[in-house]
Amino acid sequence: MNRPIKVILVAGARPNFMKIAPLMRCISERNATAVNGDPRIEPLLVHTGQHYDDKMSGIFFEELRIPPPDINLEVGSGSHAQQTAQIMMKFETVCLENKPDWVVVVGDVNSTMACTLVCSKLGVKVAHVEAGLRSFDREMPEELNRLVTDALADLLLTPSEDADVNLEKEGVPSSRIKLVGNVMIDTLVDNLERAKPSELLGSLGLKKNGFAFVTLHRPGNVDAEETLRPIIEELARLAGMMPVVFPIHPRTQKMCDTFGISLSEIEGLHLLPPVGYHDSLFLTENARLVLTDSGGLQEESTYFVTPCLTLRPNTERPITITVGSNKLTDLNQLRADIDDVLSTSEERGKVPPLWDGKAAERIVDALCEC
């Protein structure tokens, strides 16, 4: 019988949890059905603690049924350099003590790059889930994390064909690239039934396809009054046409308070604290329009074929645009884009290939084959 394959899975920040959950579940199912000769997989879940606020991370462990991490590095916040250094120092010890066959990193946060750097120095194989995504904006820390991680990782697991093209243009050999689909959609599919009992529509007096769902948190949108104030003014206009559900990020609330921007007086604006994953899915599926600067909501709205306006100059998920469900917008174009969405059909685009809820199976297959 083959010896077990030791795999460390790294979760660092909120979006990572939704990518780790289906991998943990798939590994468990694979081990339960293994027959003689099939290698078992020994997973070790490491939470770097890059996000440690329970409202922003702990709820995701609970809702996604992820077991408590085997190891929590408890790194916490800090500058990019401080956080990356802390993760590297602590994760190196984890690798030396556990001697993994693979380390699986997901997404594009500091933990992703830091753990990849450690493994590269130690000669430990790294698989990067969501490899090849590019915004082509090197002012974004996430873009730098993606570039470094993909340059060093041994196995690049891509969510869509455009990611394969990006890696090939960067000179990555095809032997390191494996198109597996979008693991975020695995989690979405697995959680759909648990999201449906949400009581949000009833409690807010809303109807399906009769409201807008808004999330905003990126510094480029909320950290300066000259950008945040006109965005809120446009939300107020939108709220005059249909109810607007706005779970407000702590950063956004803080900046509104700093600039003296009052939200409570806007009629039709339903201001909520940050919502859990299930409620977010429910809102995305049932909204007439999603307005966001989040990467995850671009993907989720695409799966639900819900029109999405992304308030960013670029996106590392261009397939959500090419299939027609998502559109980039800015302050100059926002009003016209909102009016365009509301004046046309309720559904746009289609679901991209391999966004079928089975990406985790293909990822685990790839790990076992290499």
Side-chain angles (χ1 to χ4, degrees):
M1 183 175 180
N2 296 330
R3 73 173 181 83
I5 300 173
K6 300 178 69 173
V7 178
I8 292 178
L9 299 108
V10 177
R14 169 176 169 162
N16 295 168
F17 307 151
M18 289 176 280
K19 299 159 192 174
I20 289 294
L23 294 175
M24 295 291 292
R25 185 171 58 254
C26 185
I27 289 172
S28 178
E29 293 171 354
R30 181 73 59 99
N31 287 340
T33 58
V35 297
N36 290 339
D38 291 340
R40 287 180 56 82
I41 301 173
E42 292 184 356
L44 185 77
L45 179 57
V46 175
H47 182 197
T48 66
Q50 182 177 331
H51 274 190
Y52 56 94
D53 185 335
D54 186 64
K55 288 183 179 179
M56 300 300 289
S57 63
I59 190 172
F60 281 80
F61 279 96
E62 178 181 345
E63 287 190 331
L64 302 180
R65 298 174 296 170
I66 304 174
D70 299 291
I71 298 172
N72 192 331
L73 303 183
E74 298 182 340
V75 169
S77 59
S79 70
H80 288 289
Q82 291 169 334
Q83 194 174 68
T84 300
Q86 286 292 317
I87 295 168
M88 290 183 69
M89 289 188 292
K90 294 186 176 184
F91 189 68
E92 181 181 51
T93 301
V94 173
C95 287
L96 291 173
E97 291 178 351
N98 291 276
K99 297 180 171 56
D101 297 295
W102 282 101
V103 167
V104 177
V105 297
V106 298
D108 53 20
V109 298
N110 288 341
S111 298
T112 306
M113 180 189 69
C115 292
T116 300
L117 280 166
V118 168
C119 292
S120 180
K121 298 278 188 177
L122 295 177
V124 176
K125 291 191 296 184
V126 174
H128 182 204
V129 175
E130 275 198 348
L133 297 181
R134 297 290 183 269
S135 68
F136 302 102
D137 179 2
R138 293 201 177 192
E139 292 185 6
M140 295 179 64
E142 297 91 342
E143 183 77 352
L144 301 179
N145 290 340
R146 295 181 203 113
L147 288 165
V148 172
T149 300
D150 286 343
L152 297 176
D154 301 272
L155 181 59
L156 301 171
L157 301 160
T158 58
S160 50
E161 291 182 355
D162 58 291
D164 290 33
V165 172
N166 291 337
L167 293 170
E168 290 164 0
K169 287 181 178 178
E170 292 169 9
V172 177
S174 59
S175 59
R176 289 171 53 200
I177 304 171
K178 180 73 172 178
L179 177 61
V180 295
N182 191 340
V183 75
M184 282 274 285
I185 303 303
D186 290 30
T187 296
L188 185 156
V189 170
D190 185 60
N191 281 270
L192 269 181
E193 289 304 313
R194 288 191 293 281
K196 290 186 184 302
S198 175
E199 299 177 352
L200 275 176
L201 291 193
S203 65
L204 298 175
L206 305 176
K207 297 180 180 179
K208 180 178 173 61
N209 295 326
F211 66 95
F213 176 33
V214 177
T215 74
L216 297 167
H217 74 282
R218 290 186 179 267
N221 286 326
V222 306
D223 278 10
E225 184 174 5
E226 57 265 30
T227 55
L228 182 57
R229 188 173 290 278
I231 290 173
I232 298 302
E233 290 173 353
E234 191 56 38
L235 290 186
R237 187 186 79 94
L238 177 58
M241 295 184 281
M242 64 170 49
V244 174
V245 180
F246 188 13
I248 191 162
H249 190 282
R251 182 189 196 110
T252 308
Q253 182 66 70
K254 175 184 176 183
M255 300 316 297
C256 283
D257 294 341
T258 299
F259 302 138
I261 300 174
S262 176
L263 301 174
S264 60
E265 299 175 359
I266 300 176
E267 187 173 351
L269 181 66
H270 297 274
L271 204 62
L272 305 178
V275 296
Y277 180 58
H278 291 160
D279 282 339
S280 179
L281 281 185
F282 183 80
L283 290 168
T284 304
E285 181 179 16
N286 289 282
R288 177 67 179 85
L289 162 69
V290 172
L291 173 62
T292 188
D293 54 16
S294 159
L297 277 183
Q298 293 175 60
E299 296 175 313
E300 290 153 9
S301 60
T302 293
Y303 182 84
F304 290 126
V305 202
T306 300
C308 178
L309 296 177
T310 299
L311 194 56
R312 285 171 50 182
N314 50 54
T315 178
E316 64 280 4
R317 296 164 174 84
I319 193 168
T320 63
I321 296 174
T322 58
V323 299
S325 56
N326 185 26
K327 182 180 182 182
L328 296 179
T329 190
D330 57 29
L331 284 177
N332 294 325
Q333 190 64 28
L334 181 56
R335 175 167 296 194
D337 285 337
I338 289 174
D339 291 344
D340 176 62
V341 169
L342 298 183
S343 66
T344 56
S345 63
E346 294 182 359
E347 292 189 350
R348 296 185 176 193
K350 60 183 180 180
V351 180
L354 297 184
W355 289 29
D356 56 3
K358 299 180 180 179
E361 296 176 24
R362 291 185 283 268
I363 291 170
V364 175
D365 283 342
L367 294 174
C368 291
E369 291 166 2
C370 291

